[in-house]
Amino acid sequence: MIRTEILGTGSYLPEGVLTNGDWAERVDTSDEWITTRTGIKERHFTTEDQTTSDMVVEASKKAIEDAGIMPDEIDLIIVGTISGDNAYPSTGNWVQKKLGIRPIPSFDIGAACSGFLYGLIMADALMKTGAAKKILLAGSESMTKIMNWEDRNTCVLFGDGAGAVILGQTEADRGVMSTYWAADGNLGDLLIQPAGGSAMPASRETVEKKLHAIHMNGNEVFKHAVKKMQEASLMAIELANLSSEDIDLFIPHQANIRIIDATIKRARIPLEKTLINIDKTGNMSSASIPVALDQARKEGRLKPGSHLLMASFGAGFTWAGIVVKF
Ligand code: ACO
């Protein structure tokens, strides 16, 4: 049986850092409010001329080196993003160009915070059909470029960054062991970038009203996030024929420390086995999980035989859970 394994990882966080103190000088907020409500202390932000694909390229170079492959061995590029360089071409297309890789299929996945896990599920399916043998999968977001810097309800939550993995095929007893994904468009309005698409093309009015920025009903999103993160985690564990005790490391999407706390209680995963970096990164949407995954590998938290659980929830709504054995 062919399975999909992670051959290498890499990540990139832009140099610029915004602390809670920096935000308190710009909008009516405080370090205390942000820390207790979200767990975030600081987040990185891109410069004006730095794009989402630039960050993928930086993360990918490290992942390619870590995997010990040549860039031209890659036969498919998938990028999870909702803040790509352009509406089109896809960010994946720019990545292929910037990495100087021969013409191979490349595209984006717009599943918000679930973009990386959705991409991994698609990559796994394509590996099994033989359509691809070495896949570059990334999650990358310039969230600070699609948020309203004057809206305290959202601006303090997000950060920029990118994570990338090189995926390969194996017949050994490791790799992606279970996948679970779902979406419910009925709740799409609760977290939305209203303008810039065919529903509301760009106009002077949409720009003035900042309708190209993230609009979120935080409270409602929070309630659904707690439920769906639990569902995604428990389903992925069950589909892998494992129990919570078998999970060696849990990487949840990093949206809010209180959502993570509620998820691990319900999924019966101890805090010591949970990777939390939201304090340093904020919510990086599709980049949160691959950046944390790279951190986990660099810190030696994933050893041969380790079971990694990842779970996400994001705009759409979309949610997903995956177990990978190392
Ligand atoms: N500083 C100070 N006060 C604030 C701030 C701020 N930055 N932001 C909001 N407030 C105020 C509100 O105005 C409100 O004031 P009021 O009571 O006078 O009206 C009060 O704080 C409480 O607001 P709530 O929205 O009830 O606060 P809550 O405890 O729900 O926390 C938060 C807000 C952090 C946004 C939370 O709801 C959350 O994390 N939601 C889920 C986010 C998420 O998971 N998103 C999904 C992924 S993102 C993606 O897919 C792109």
Side-chain angles (χ1 to χ4, degrees):
M1 181 182 179
I2 290 176
R3 289 191 195 279
T4 306
E5 66 173 335
I6 295 171
L7 299 174
T9 60
S11 60
Y12 174 81
L13 298 174
E15 266 175 41
V17 172
L18 275 166
T19 64
N20 289 350
D22 294 331
W23 275 118
E25 283 174 19
R26 304 181 75 107
V27 293
D28 183 13
T29 191
S30 64
D31 175 44
E32 201 260 332
W33 191 95
I34 303 171
T35 307
T36 52
R37 295 293 176 116
T38 71
I40 300 166
K41 283 290 197 186
E42 56 188 45
R43 66 293 279 153
H44 293 251
F45 67 101
T46 42
T47 54
E48 230 169 81
D49 59 355
Q50 198 173 25
T51 66
T52 298
S53 68
D54 289 338
M55 292 193 288
V56 177
V57 168
E58 293 306 317
S60 300
K61 283 180 184 164
K62 294 180 197 163
I64 289 167
E65 194 186 335
D66 187 36
I69 64 159
M70 299 302 291
D72 265 340
E73 288 178 57
I74 296 166
D75 49 18
L76 175 64
I77 298 171
I78 307 176
V79 180
T81 189
I82 51 161
S83 53
D85 298 20
N86 308 94
Y88 61 88
S90 77
T91 298
N93 298 158
W94 293 131
V95 170
Q96 178 256 336
K97 173 197 159 177
K98 290 179 185 177
L99 284 175
I101 297 176
R102 70 206 149 83
I104 53 166
S106 54
F107 60 91
D108 296 350
I109 293 185
C113 304
S114 300
F116 179 77
L117 293 192
Y118 263 50
L120 185 48
I121 293 169
M122 289 187 64
D124 182 47
L126 289 164
M127 286 287 195
K128 287 185 170 127
T129 67
K133 291 190 171 63
K134 293 250 168 23
I135 300 177
L136 166 58
L137 168 66
S140 181
E141 303 285 9
S142 305
M143 298 303 284
T144 63
K145 288 192 173 147
I146 60 162
M147 68 189 196
N148 177 354
W149 284 56
E150 285 153 22
D151 174 17
R152 70 173 185 174
N153 290 295
T154 51
C155 68
V156 301
L157 305 175
F158 298 101
D160 301 339
V165 295
I166 300 294
L167 303 168
Q169 294 179 326
T170 181
E171 288 184 28
D173 178 31
R174 60 172 186 264
V176 174
M177 307 304 276
S178 70
T179 61
Y180 175 76
W181 56 349
D184 187 354
N186 285 302
L187 303 167
D189 285 334
L190 292 175
L191 178 47
I192 187 169
Q193 187 178 350
S198 60
M200 203 188 287
S203 68
R204 182 188 293 265
E205 196 193 349
T206 61
V207 174
E208 279 168 2
K209 290 186 173 164
K210 298 206 187 299
L211 294 171
H212 302 271
I214 298 163
H215 283 62
M216 177 168 77
N217 179 333
N219 234 289
E220 279 304 307
V221 174
F222 186 95
K223 286 183 215 155
H224 290 282
V226 167
K227 276 194 210 133
K228 300 307 183 189
M229 286 281 287
Q230 291 170 355
E231 176 187 313
S233 307
L234 293 170
M235 285 303 295
I237 293 171
E238 188 184 324
L239 291 169
N241 291 318
L242 297 172
S243 62
S244 298
E245 296 74 46
D246 300 317
I247 299 302
D248 298 291
L249 183 69
F250 177 39
I251 299 183
H253 173 53
Q254 313 277 319
N256 187 313
I257 190 71
R258 292 180 294 139
I259 297 174
I260 296 174
D261 280 343
T263 305
I264 61 175
K265 275 195 190 92
R266 181 73 190 279
R268 289 183 289 106
I269 293 170
L271 186 60
E272 318 79 80
K273 289 186 174 180
T274 307
L275 196 153
I276 297 169
N277 66 3
I278 189 173
D279 52 324
K280 297 269 180 234
T281 61
N283 180 349
M284 298 186 292
S285 186
S286 70
S288 285
I289 289 180
V291 167
L293 173 59
D294 186 44
Q295 182 186 333
R297 283 190 75 241
K298 302 283 145 60
E299 290 174 355
R301 293 182 75 171
L302 291 164
K303 304 193 168 55
S306 293
H307 283 111
L308 166 69
L309 169 68
M310 299 177 277
S312 66
F313 174 83
F317 290 146
T318 57
W319 58 104
I322 298 181
V323 170
V324 178
K325 186 176 175 188
F326 280 77

